[in-house]
mmCIF file of all heavy atoms in Angstrom:
data_model
loop_
_atom_site.group_PDB
_atom_site.id
_atom_site.type_symbol
_atom_site.label_atom_id
_atom_site.label_comp_id
_atom_site.label_asym_id
_atom_site.label_seq_id
_atom_site.Cartn_x
_atom_site.Cartn_y
_atom_site.Cartn_z
ATOM 1 N N PHE A 1 55.080 -4.085 148.521
ATOM 2 C CA PHE A 1 54.510 -4.462 149.762
ATOM 3 C C PHE A 1 53.420 -5.516 149.546
ATOM 4 O O PHE A 1 52.822 -5.561 148.437
ATOM 5 C CB PHE A 1 53.768 -3.292 150.495
ATOM 6 C CG PHE A 1 54.777 -2.124 150.758
ATOM 7 C CD1 PHE A 1 54.507 -0.914 150.092
ATOM 8 C CD2 PHE A 1 55.725 -2.236 151.745
ATOM 9 C CE1 PHE A 1 55.361 0.170 150.410
ATOM 10 C CE2 PHE A 1 56.572 -1.145 151.984
ATOM 11 C CZ PHE A 1 56.389 0.093 151.339
ATOM 12 N N ARG A 2 53.144 -6.265 150.504
ATOM 13 C CA ARG A 2 51.977 -7.233 150.477
ATOM 14 C C ARG A 2 50.768 -6.310 150.405
ATOM 15 O O ARG A 2 50.583 -5.443 151.267
ATOM 16 C CB ARG A 2 51.920 -8.094 151.659
ATOM 17 C CG ARG A 2 50.646 -9.098 151.762
ATOM 18 C CD ARG A 2 50.802 -10.216 152.691
ATOM 19 N NE ARG A 2 51.812 -11.152 152.133
ATOM 20 C CZ ARG A 2 52.459 -12.107 152.839
ATOM 21 N NH1 ARG A 2 52.220 -12.173 154.152
ATOM 22 N NH2 ARG A 2 53.296 -12.969 152.256
ATOM 23 N N GLY A 3 49.810 -6.601 149.518
ATOM 24 C CA GLY A 3 48.684 -5.763 149.271
ATOM 25 C C GLY A 3 47.806 -5.515 150.561
ATOM 26 O O GLY A 3 47.407 -4.409 150.894
ATOM 27 N N ASN A 4 47.594 -6.606 151.239
ATOM 28 C CA ASN A 4 46.726 -6.453 152.454
ATOM 29 C C ASN A 4 47.399 -5.982 153.754
ATOM 30 O O ASN A 4 46.911 -6.086 154.802
ATOM 31 C CB ASN A 4 45.897 -7.740 152.672
ATOM 32 C CG ASN A 4 46.787 -8.981 152.835
ATOM 33 O OD1 ASN A 4 47.918 -8.898 153.425
ATOM 34 N ND2 ASN A 4 46.373 -10.102 152.296
ATOM 35 N N ARG A 5 48.696 -5.642 153.579
ATOM 36 C CA ARG A 5 49.462 -5.052 154.689
ATOM 37 C C ARG A 5 49.803 -3.663 154.440
ATOM 38 O O ARG A 5 50.488 -2.994 155.297
ATOM 39 C CB ARG A 5 50.826 -5.879 154.866
ATOM 40 C CG ARG A 5 50.613 -7.259 155.400
ATOM 41 C CD ARG A 5 50.236 -7.279 156.831
ATOM 42 N NE ARG A 5 50.473 -8.565 157.454
ATOM 43 C CZ ARG A 5 50.610 -8.646 158.804
ATOM 44 N NH1 ARG A 5 50.667 -7.612 159.562
ATOM 45 N NH2 ARG A 5 50.781 -9.824 159.316
ATOM 46 N N SER A 6 49.337 -3.147 153.425
ATOM 47 C CA SER A 6 49.692 -1.711 153.055
ATOM 48 C C SER A 6 48.714 -0.626 153.545
ATOM 49 O O SER A 6 47.535 -0.906 153.636
ATOM 50 C CB SER A 6 49.725 -1.583 151.455
ATOM 51 O OG SER A 6 50.622 -2.599 150.942
ATOM 52 N N ILE A 7 49.240 0.545 153.775
ATOM 53 C CA ILE A 7 48.458 1.733 154.112
ATOM 54 C C ILE A 7 48.973 2.911 153.316
ATOM 55 O O ILE A 7 50.170 2.955 153.008
ATOM 56 C CB ILE A 7 48.479 1.985 155.610
ATOM 57 C CG1 ILE A 7 49.860 2.369 156.101
ATOM 58 C CG2 ILE A 7 47.863 0.846 156.476
ATOM 59 C CD1 ILE A 7 49.901 2.925 157.519
ATOM 60 N N LYS A 8 48.207 3.877 153.081
ATOM 61 C CA LYS A 8 48.625 5.145 152.521
ATOM 62 C C LYS A 8 49.049 5.945 153.740
ATOM 63 O O LYS A 8 48.166 6.363 154.563
ATOM 64 C CB LYS A 8 47.617 5.848 151.753
ATOM 65 C CG LYS A 8 48.240 7.090 150.996
ATOM 66 C CD LYS A 8 47.337 7.783 150.037
ATOM 67 C CE LYS A 8 48.027 8.925 149.334
ATOM 68 N NZ LYS A 8 47.237 9.687 148.424
ATOM 69 N N ALA A 9 50.338 6.234 153.878
ATOM 70 C CA ALA A 9 50.922 6.882 155.017
ATOM 71 C C ALA A 9 51.319 8.291 154.879
ATOM 72 O O ALA A 9 51.490 9.001 155.816
ATOM 73 C CB ALA A 9 52.115 6.015 155.555
ATOM 74 N N TYR A 10 51.385 8.746 153.538
ATOM 75 C CA TYR A 10 51.901 10.119 153.304
ATOM 76 C C TYR A 10 51.103 10.657 152.166
ATOM 77 O O TYR A 10 51.005 10.088 151.095
ATOM 78 C CB TYR A 10 53.406 9.905 152.919
ATOM 79 C CG TYR A 10 54.216 11.212 152.961
ATOM 80 C CD1 TYR A 10 55.601 11.120 152.865
ATOM 81 C CD2 TYR A 10 53.630 12.522 153.022
ATOM 82 C CE1 TYR A 10 56.410 12.282 152.893
ATOM 83 C CE2 TYR A 10 54.433 13.596 153.060
ATOM 84 C CZ TYR A 10 55.774 13.491 152.959
ATOM 85 O OH TYR A 10 56.560 14.660 153.001
ATOM 86 N N ALA A 11 50.402 11.777 152.472
ATOM 87 C CA ALA A 11 49.415 12.307 151.519
ATOM 88 C C ALA A 11 50.075 12.853 150.208
ATOM 89 O O ALA A 11 49.564 12.615 149.169
ATOM 90 C CB ALA A 11 48.626 13.443 152.205
ATOM 91 N N ASP A 12 51.243 13.475 150.350
ATOM 92 C CA ASP A 12 51.771 14.123 149.148
ATOM 93 C C ASP A 12 53.335 13.878 149.006
ATOM 94 O O ASP A 12 54.046 14.648 148.412
ATOM 95 C CB ASP A 12 51.459 15.563 149.178
ATOM 96 C CG ASP A 12 52.026 16.310 150.420
ATOM 97 O OD1 ASP A 12 52.662 15.611 151.238
ATOM 98 O OD2 ASP A 12 51.721 17.507 150.531
ATOM 99 N N GLY A 13 53.751 12.756 149.475
ATOM 100 C CA GLY A 13 55.123 12.361 149.238
ATOM 101 C C GLY A 13 55.320 11.214 148.308
ATOM 102 O O GLY A 13 54.326 10.438 148.107
ATOM 103 N N PHE A 14 56.478 11.028 147.737
ATOM 104 C CA PHE A 14 56.704 9.869 146.847
ATOM 105 C C PHE A 14 56.669 8.587 147.600
ATOM 106 O O PHE A 14 56.346 7.551 147.031
ATOM 107 C CB PHE A 14 58.021 10.067 146.058
ATOM 108 C CG PHE A 14 58.029 11.115 145.035
ATOM 109 C CD1 PHE A 14 59.118 11.804 144.649
ATOM 110 C CD2 PHE A 14 56.887 11.395 144.274
ATOM 111 C CE1 PHE A 14 59.149 12.819 143.696
ATOM 112 C CE2 PHE A 14 56.803 12.311 143.278
ATOM 113 C CZ PHE A 14 58.028 13.024 142.998
ATOM 114 N N ASN A 15 57.042 8.607 148.852
ATOM 115 C CA ASN A 15 56.948 7.471 149.698
ATOM 116 C C ASN A 15 55.582 7.383 150.360
ATOM 117 O O ASN A 15 55.433 7.260 151.585
ATOM 118 C CB ASN A 15 58.076 7.417 150.737
ATOM 119 C CG ASN A 15 57.996 8.641 151.648
ATOM 120 O OD1 ASN A 15 57.596 9.739 151.191
ATOM 121 N ND2 ASN A 15 58.585 8.576 152.818
ATOM 122 N N ALA A 16 54.563 7.370 149.534
ATOM 123 C CA ALA A 16 53.161 7.475 149.962
ATOM 124 C C ALA A 16 52.692 6.272 150.825
ATOM 125 O O ALA A 16 51.815 6.385 151.653
ATOM 126 C CB ALA A 16 52.280 7.718 148.785
ATOM 127 N N PHE A 17 53.286 5.094 150.567
ATOM 128 C CA PHE A 17 52.717 3.879 151.178
ATOM 129 C C PHE A 17 53.768 3.246 152.137
ATOM 130 O O PHE A 17 54.968 3.375 152.071
ATOM 131 C CB PHE A 17 52.302 2.843 150.105
ATOM 132 C CG PHE A 17 51.097 3.318 149.400
ATOM 133 C CD1 PHE A 17 51.238 4.104 148.223
ATOM 134 C CD2 PHE A 17 49.830 2.933 149.776
ATOM 135 C CE1 PHE A 17 50.074 4.571 147.644
ATOM 136 C CE2 PHE A 17 48.671 3.363 149.147
ATOM 137 C CZ PHE A 17 48.849 4.210 148.037
ATOM 138 N N ASP A 18 53.188 2.463 153.059
ATOM 139 C CA ASP A 18 54.049 1.826 154.089
ATOM 140 C C ASP A 18 53.355 0.459 154.423
ATOM 141 O O ASP A 18 52.198 0.278 154.177
ATOM 142 C CB ASP A 18 54.186 2.724 155.361
ATOM 143 C CG ASP A 18 55.261 2.195 156.248
ATOM 144 O OD1 ASP A 18 56.083 1.285 155.842
ATOM 145 O OD2 ASP A 18 55.374 2.790 157.360
ATOM 146 N N SER A 19 54.158 -0.354 155.022
ATOM 147 C CA SER A 19 53.584 -1.645 155.524
ATOM 148 C C SER A 19 54.110 -1.801 157.000
ATOM 149 O O SER A 19 55.118 -2.351 157.276
ATOM 150 C CB SER A 19 54.174 -2.756 154.688
ATOM 151 O OG SER A 19 53.730 -4.066 155.198
ATOM 152 N N PRO A 20 53.341 -1.180 157.951
ATOM 153 C CA PRO A 20 53.937 -0.992 159.312
ATOM 154 C C PRO A 20 54.322 -2.285 159.974
ATOM 155 O O PRO A 20 55.227 -2.277 160.785
ATOM 156 C CB PRO A 20 52.871 -0.304 160.023
ATOM 157 C CG PRO A 20 51.939 0.349 158.939
ATOM 158 C CD PRO A 20 52.049 -0.559 157.758
ATOM 159 N N ASN A 21 53.538 -3.365 159.820
ATOM 160 C CA ASN A 21 53.770 -4.591 160.526
ATOM 161 C C ASN A 21 54.419 -5.741 159.803
ATOM 162 O O ASN A 21 54.337 -6.887 160.207
ATOM 163 C CB ASN A 21 52.411 -5.023 161.199
ATOM 164 C CG ASN A 21 52.002 -4.047 162.230
ATOM 165 O OD1 ASN A 21 52.795 -3.790 163.220
ATOM 166 N ND2 ASN A 21 50.790 -3.571 162.225
ATOM 167 N N MET A 22 54.903 -5.413 158.559
ATOM 168 C CA MET A 22 55.531 -6.490 157.778
ATOM 169 C C MET A 22 56.601 -5.851 156.879
ATOM 170 O O MET A 22 56.326 -4.749 156.258
ATOM 171 C CB MET A 22 54.516 -7.212 156.967
ATOM 172 C CG MET A 22 55.075 -8.360 156.122
ATOM 173 S SD MET A 22 53.860 -9.115 155.056
ATOM 174 C CE MET A 22 54.902 -10.191 154.030
ATOM 175 N N PRO A 23 57.752 -6.448 156.690
ATOM 176 C CA PRO A 23 58.792 -5.934 155.804
ATOM 177 C C PRO A 23 58.251 -5.983 154.388
ATOM 178 O O PRO A 23 57.425 -6.700 154.049
ATOM 179 C CB PRO A 23 59.943 -6.847 156.009
ATOM 180 C CG PRO A 23 59.746 -7.603 157.245
ATOM 181 C CD PRO A 23 58.282 -7.595 157.444
ATOM 182 N N PRO A 24 58.870 -5.165 153.486
ATOM 183 C CA PRO A 24 58.445 -5.287 152.051
ATOM 184 C C PRO A 24 58.723 -6.649 151.465
ATOM 185 O O PRO A 24 59.612 -7.386 151.935
ATOM 186 C CB PRO A 24 59.400 -4.233 151.410
ATOM 187 C CG PRO A 24 59.832 -3.373 152.514
ATOM 188 C CD PRO A 24 59.859 -4.166 153.702
ATOM 189 N N LEU A 25 57.938 -7.022 150.535
ATOM 190 C CA LEU A 25 58.157 -8.281 149.804
ATOM 191 C C LEU A 25 59.471 -8.223 149.002
ATOM 192 O O LEU A 25 60.230 -9.196 148.912
ATOM 193 C CB LEU A 25 57.043 -8.586 148.852
ATOM 194 C CG LEU A 25 55.612 -8.768 149.465
ATOM 195 C CD1 LEU A 25 54.648 -8.922 148.307
ATOM 196 C CD2 LEU A 25 55.589 -9.967 150.328
#
């Protein structure tokens, strides 16, 4: 993900991060 578009979305899952308003790089 773009670093400044990322959030931690899941506290204890492997898919912990998301980029809600931009597709992955």
Side-chain angles (χ1 to χ4, degrees):
F1 301 114
R2 176 165 289 162
N4 57 37
R5 288 290 195 155
S6 305
I7 63 170
K8 188 173 183 183
Y10 197 166
D12 55 4
F14 287 148
N15 55 335
F17 290 87
D18 195 8
S19 176
N21 289 309
M22 181 183 171
L25 299 174

